[in-house]
Amino acid sequence: MWQSSPPGSIYDHIRVASFSIGPDGLIEQWSSRAAGLFGMSSTEAIGRDPVEAFMPAELRSGGRRRVGEILDGKEWTGLVPFRMPGEDGTHGVAEVYVMPSLTAQGERAALCIVVDVRALRRIETDLAASQAIFGQSPFGFVLFGTDLAVVRANQRFATVFGGAAEDHRGRTVEDYLPRAEADRLTATLKRVLETGESVTDLQLVGPAPNTTERRHWSMNLYRVHSGAGRPVGIAGLATDVTRRHIAAREAASARRNLALLNEASARIGNSLDLETTARELLDVAVPGFCDLASVDLYQGLLTGEEAAPGSWASVHRESAGGSAELRRVAHASAVADALPTAVAGSGAPGPDDLPPPLGSVHRFPFGSPCAMALRSGRAEDVPGDEMGFVQSTLAVPMVAHDTVVGLVQFSRTKGSEPFGERDRALATELAARAAVCIDNARLYRREHERALILQRSLLPPGDPEAAGLDIACRYLPGNAATEVGGDWFDVIELPGHRTALVVGDVMGRGLRAAVAMGELRTAVRTLALLDLEPAEVLYALDEVARGLGSPGGGERSEGLGGSGGAQWPSRAAQKSREADLSEVYLATCVYAVYDPVTRRCTIANAGHMPPAVVEPGKPARLIDVPPGMPLGVGGEPFEEVEVELAENALLTLYTDGLVESRDQALDEGLEALRSVLTGPQMELEDACDFVLSTLETRHGEDDIALLMARIQGLPAEAVGDWTLPREPRSVGRARELARAQLLAWDLDDLVDTTELLVSELVTNALRYGEGEIRLRLLRDRTLVCEVWDAGLVQPRRRRARDTDEGGRGLQLVGLLSAAWGTRRTPRGKTVWFELALPDGEPVAELSVEQLLSMY
């Protein structure tokens, strides 16, 4: 039966051509294949001498001899060089098969079969390469037919699945993989065969031959075509990636553990509260590490005993009946509310084996794994309940500084992966981190109670009073389970009926923070007496804070050495104390000076919350004060701003505990404060209570200091202000003005004293000052007299000699006034004195001793 060869057959690649040579040695017949091979049509070839047409000149003599032998009846096979016609003809080598033939007349001729040697070598090379790729590949190579049965497999594939390579011919994927995986691979093969889209890295899982070990393979699939482009099958390249899968799983587990430890570092121990820390531990562990967990702490630790209830000595003194008393302070479950049994044993749990409820006090049986873990300080395995849903449990003691503070149990339910050695190490690390935080909280609680007592004693008692201000203040310490900050507030009277309002916050904790707060508050009061500008006060206070935070080199600690002398602390102790002090004596502070005459407030800020102000009929706003660096940092100057406040405006100073907490961002807290301050108008004390009750102030994370001041400027009739020329008669004019003003205020009893002291101050301004002289009298709770000039030299009080005619003016001022002083101004200086308002009693005259003391 005749059958045509499909396109793309082997003959198309081999390129077989034929031609014939007549008895005369010339080309007689020329096939189409020959025309394609040599690039010469039959018209050009027929009748030509093949030696002349195709062979190089140097080979033509030998070629004619061969043609003669062929025409004599000899067969011949060999390689014949040839070239295409033309000067630029291509050279090549042809493998020629020559067979003698006879013409119709009986003459000898020849039939030549020609194959291009280049095409043969190319096919041989391709076959060799294909065989090398298929046979020598280190990967499993398999060829599926269009019926999805194995057509061919290499030896590597046979090594994995057993037998010889030929034994796999005709098998299907069901012979190698479990049903589910086989169906998935079959569907993929069909899709590749139908669409021609290749598939890379198809993950397959199945057991190796004669074993139950699970193996992982990665398979690449692509469709194979014939030379004519017809699909003939699917080629698959399989690689065993079991080791890579195991390594990836271990790496993922390691990354998960590191992430869990990182999360634990961020989330555990943020509150210094025992129960809260225990809950934070479980929040990290469930469900990221286990399905169920519980924490038990020693009862003595929770009741505040001085001795560590979980120390090694205490644990070993436990009775044979069980462990020391513990309290269940936290539990968590990702699958159910019930917790695993806390007592080792098998079989169904009895009534005594049920987990203790939250908050209950209990003991672990002496021989139980939990009690053994508490005694040994090492994690113990608690067998799972065969009848329950818990697969495995780890009982891990919480150890901090060689002290056991409690026990944490991690459990995984059936269906989860059981605990391994890495899990045991991770559980121990999690418990240790939580234990350190819990032990710190225990140690801190004692310090916290003492700090509260000290801190409250350092705050100003009662309701402070100030000229031109109605003041109310509140102080809320953190609750008993949290840290105590160094928050403070103060109201300081300054000369000229001015008032300094101070609010600060030491960036420290506990007793040391309270001590630092007291030292800084004392320093502020001392600096305020110098009557410096607010920015200068903060600059000086910054220097004080830096000095407090730097331990002195000469400080010593008492020892009990044999010599009985003092012992210097070790270098490590000095570094530790230096680190502690550097942390404690960083503080923020806002310092504001209010002048009731001008209703102007000058404010400087050292990293503190901005003051808020509410003016009548306007919304609350934050005063834009450059924040500056916290006290104790040093190296940066402080800026100050001056704002004019309206009558009955409400000025509010506060610490960050009022506007910031773990559940409330700072911006949200400041916005809430502005909305509260813009609320209903009420008495100042009620306004303080309204702010604290409306805002989130019960978070217990930080102290809260709140100082509110209602602006009440001095009325114009309570101020006398005059400018005097720089001439001698200004002294008399000053006395006249002072007398007239006092009489207008019905302060007749103070006229003589005021005239005398005003005369002394104006005279000094004329003698030692510069520029014009300004006299100002202020009447509020006391009478204040101020004399201003442009001179920068500060007057000082000295004792005059017997022969001196002057120099006793300031002594007289000091004796007759209730207080006096001097301060710098932007354009000179001010000398002032203060007199108490008469209360109806006669003014006391100077004694002889006082008068003689001036001489």
Side-chain angles (χ1 to χ4, degrees):
M1 181 178 65
W2 295 95
Q3 182 177 354
S4 62
S5 178
S9 66
I10 188 66
Y11 300 105
D12 290 333
H13 295 284
I14 295 178
R15 300 180 66 185
V16 178
S18 66
F19 65 92
S20 62
I21 301 176
D24 55 358
L26 302 179
I27 297 174
E28 191 175 65
Q29 292 181 337
W30 188 256
S31 67
S32 299
R33 290 280 184 133
L37 177 63
F38 293 102
M40 183 183 298
S41 65
S42 59
T43 304
E44 296 173 315
I46 293 175
R48 295 189 64 178
D49 184 350
V51 175
E52 292 290 338
F54 305 112
M55 297 189 68
E58 64 272 11
L59 299 177
R60 290 174 183 173
S61 60
R64 291 191 181 92
R65 186 172 58 254
R66 288 292 184 189
V67 171
E69 293 175 354
I70 292 169
L71 293 177
D72 288 340
K74 293 181 62 177
E75 290 188 1
W76 181 79
T77 302
L79 300 177
V80 177
F82 70 91
R83 67 174 177 81
M84 299 294 185
E87 296 181 358
D88 298 331
T90 304
H91 291 265
V93 178
E95 188 167 350
V96 182
Y97 301 87
V98 182
M99 296 170 287
S101 63
L102 295 174
T103 65
Q105 292 78 22
E107 295 177 315
R108 291 182 178 179
L111 177 64
C112 301
I113 305 297
V114 183
V115 179
D116 190 345
V117 174
R118 293 172 300 177
L120 289 176
R121 296 297 177 266
R122 186 166 55 249
I123 292 173
E124 290 174 355
T125 301
D126 291 345
L127 290 174
S130 175
Q131 182 62 32
I133 292 174
F134 202 86
Q136 301 174 21
S137 172
F139 309 108
F141 212 111
V142 61
L143 180 63
F144 296 96
T146 55
D147 59 352
L148 306 185
V150 176
V151 175
R152 185 178 178 185
N154 68 347
Q155 188 57 44
R156 176 60 182 169
F157 185 88
T159 301
V160 175
F161 291 99
E166 292 297 325
D167 297 338
H168 295 273
R169 188 184 300 273
R171 292 185 179 181
T172 61
V173 293
E174 285 81 3
D175 298 321
Y176 304 103
L177 296 172
R179 179 62 180 271
E181 292 290 88
D183 292 344
R184 191 161 63 92
L185 179 57
T186 300
T188 305
L189 290 173
K190 290 180 179 179
R191 186 173 70 253
V192 173
L193 186 62
E194 292 172 359
T195 64
E197 297 179 358
S198 60
V199 174
T200 59
D201 197 21
L202 176 64
Q203 297 292 318
L204 299 172
V205 181
N210 303 321
T211 180
T212 58
E213 180 185 1
R214 290 168 58 88
R215 308 292 295 177
H216 295 260
W217 291 281
S218 172
M219 199 162 191
N220 299 327
L221 301 171
Y222 59 93
R223 190 170 70 181
V224 181
H225 305 85
S226 67
R230 179 172 52 87
V232 297
I234 304 109
L237 184 65
T239 306
D240 189 340
V241 294
T242 304
R243 291 184 179 179
R244 187 176 70 186
H245 182 81
I246 294 174
R249 185 174 61 185
E250 292 178 350
S253 176
R255 287 194 298 269
R256 182 200 66 188
N257 292 351
L258 287 175
L260 200 64
L261 288 176
N262 184 58
E263 183 181 5
S265 299
R267 297 181 59 182
I268 299 177
N270 293 321
S271 65
L272 278 182
D273 174 69
L274 302 178
E275 290 84 353
T276 302
T277 302
R279 289 192 296 269
E280 291 170 345
L281 169 62
L282 299 191
D283 289 341
V284 172
V286 180
F289 177 68
C290 62
D291 302 315
L292 308 166
S294 64
V295 176
D296 299 285
L297 298 180
Y298 278 107
Q299 177 68 1
L301 182 145
L302 295 169
T303 56
E305 294 180 7
E306 290 293 329
S311 62
W312 301 123
S314 175
V315 172
H316 286 300
R317 286 197 298 268
E318 294 175 352
S319 65
S323 66
E325 289 186 340
L326 297 103
R327 185 193 302 175
R328 177 66 50 94
V329 295
H331 65 203
S333 172
V335 294
D337 293 333
L339 287 176
T341 176
V343 182
S346 59
D352 297 334
D353 294 334
L354 294 176
L358 186 65
S360 64
V361 178
H362 62 93
R363 296 175 182 266
F364 290 116
F366 186 81
S368 66
C370 293
M372 294 171 59
L374 291 171
R375 287 195 299 271
S376 65
R378 295 187 298 271
E380 296 287 342
D381 291 315
V382 180
D385 181 13
E386 297 180 359
M387 303 299 294
F389 62 94
V390 175
Q391 177 174 243
S392 61
T393 298
L394 285 177
V396 185
M398 305 176 73
V399 183
H401 312 301
D402 290 338
T403 298
V404 177
V405 298
L407 183 80
V408 57
Q409 296 179 73
F410 303 104
S411 300
R412 288 180 178 174
T413 57
K414 292 180 179 178
S416 299
E417 185 177 354
F419 291 113
E421 286 302 317
R422 289 188 178 181
D423 295 324
R424 180 185 292 265
L426 177 61
T428 302
E429 179 66 20
L430 288 174
R433 295 192 179 199
V436 170
C437 297
I438 288 175
D439 192 50
N440 289 342
R442 176 184 65 84
L443 296 174
Y444 182 82
R445 181 168 52 194
R446 179 178 56 202
E447 179 182 352
H448 173 269
E449 294 173 353
R450 299 171 182 174
L452 278 179
I453 298 173
L454 176 60
Q455 189 171 30
R456 289 170 181 170
S457 67
L458 294 174
L459 294 174
D463 296 326
E465 296 181 355
L469 290 176
D470 184 12
I471 297 176
C473 48
R474 297 288 188 274
Y475 172 72
L476 296 180
N479 62 42
T482 62
E483 302 171 358
V484 178
D487 295 14
W488 89 91
F489 62 87
D490 212 342
V491 178
I492 306 171
E493 293 187 60
L494 299 177
H497 290 314
R498 295 171 302 126
T499 304
L501 304 176
V502 188
V503 171
D505 184 1
V506 175
M507 296 181 187
R509 300 174 178 177
L511 183 61
R512 190 175 295 277
V515 172
M517 179 269 287
E519 293 177 322
L520 291 178
R521 177 174 177 267
T522 302
V524 171
R525 282 190 158 268
T526 302
L527 293 170
L529 294 178
L530 300 177
D531 206 359
L532 304 174
E533 295 297 322
E536 296 178 353
V537 170
L538 291 185
Y539 181 81
L541 190 62
D542 178 59
E543 294 294 326
V544 172
R546 292 173 64 189
L548 294 176
S550 301
E555 186 171 338
R556 299 184 295 175
S557 60
E558 294 297 330
L560 298 176
S563 62
Q567 296 180 351
W568 294 99
S570 65
R571 182 179 298 272
Q574 289 177 347
K575 288 184 177 180
S576 175
R577 181 177 182 273
E578 182 176 346
D580 291 343
L581 287 175
S582 296
E583 177 185 4
V584 166
Y585 288 111
L586 286 176
T588 64
C589 180
V590 61
Y591 186 91
V593 174
Y594 171 69
D595 187 344
V597 178
T598 61
R599 293 201 314 274
R600 289 186 172 272
C601 189
T602 306
I603 308 172
N605 191 351
H608 200 77
M609 297 288 100
V613 64
V614 184
E615 296 181 339
K618 296 182 180 180
R621 62 182 176 90
L622 300 178
I623 300 177
D624 187 12
V625 185
M629 299 297 291
L631 301 175
V633 175
E636 294 293 334
F638 297 97
E639 300 181 42
E640 60 186 38
V641 297
E642 186 178 66
V643 294
E644 183 174 351
L645 303 175
E647 188 75 12
N648 291 323
L650 181 61
L651 180 66
T652 303
L653 281 68
Y654 53 93
T655 56
D656 56 358
L658 183 67
V659 294
E660 185 178 24
S661 67
R662 186 178 306 173
D663 300 324
Q664 179 175 258
L666 178 59
D667 292 342
E668 297 176 359
L670 291 174
E671 183 61 33
L673 175 62
R674 287 196 292 266
S675 63
V676 171
L677 292 177
T678 315
Q681 296 294 322
M682 57 185 69
E683 294 295 329
L684 199 56
E685 293 292 334
D686 297 334
C688 273
D689 295 335
F690 178 73
V691 169
L692 295 178
S693 61
T694 304
L695 297 180
E696 178 56 41
T697 59
R698 300 299 177 183
H699 47 71
E701 297 175 11
D702 196 4
D703 291 358
I704 296 174
L706 174 64
L707 191 154
M708 304 181 74
R710 183 83 68 186
I711 303 301
Q712 304 289 342
L714 287 182
E717 58 271 16
V719 179
D721 196 345
W722 307 275
T723 301
L724 303 173
R726 190 171 187 79
E727 55 188 30
R729 63 181 180 179
S730 292
V731 177
R733 177 59 178 162
R735 286 197 300 266
E736 294 174 359
L737 293 172
R739 171 181 287 273
Q741 186 66 68
L742 292 182
L743 292 177
W745 286 341
D746 295 328
L747 298 178
D748 302 24
D749 294 341
L750 300 181
V751 170
D752 294 338
T753 303
T754 303
E755 277 189 309
L756 176 60
L757 299 185
V758 165
S759 177
E760 291 292 338
L761 296 186
V762 173
T763 301
N764 282 344
L766 287 173
R767 288 183 178 179
Y768 309 109
E770 299 177 6
E772 291 183 333
I773 300 171
R774 180 183 176 189
L775 173 65
R776 187 168 76 166
L777 295 177
L778 306 175
R779 185 195 67 182
D780 192 68
R781 291 174 297 135
T782 61
L783 175 67
V784 173
C785 175
E786 298 174 329
V787 176
W788 310 47
D789 70 81
L792 298 177
V793 178
Q794 296 286 327
R796 61 185 181 87
R797 182 177 177 180
R798 62 183 179 85
R799 181 177 295 276
R801 291 174 296 182
D802 295 344
T803 58
D804 291 342
E805 296 181 358
R808 298 175 179 84
L810 292 182
Q811 294 185 32
L812 185 63
V813 172
L815 288 173
L816 296 179
S817 64
W820 79 279
T822 179
R823 69 176 184 273
R824 294 186 182 274
T825 66
R827 292 180 297 274
K829 66 176 179 298
T830 300
V831 184
W832 58 271
F833 65 85
E834 182 177 345
L835 296 175
L837 297 182
D839 53 3
E841 298 293 331
V843 178
E845 296 182 357
L846 294 178
S847 64
V848 176
E849 291 78 7
Q850 290 174 324
L851 292 173
L852 291 177
S853 66
M854 295 185 291
Y855 296 93

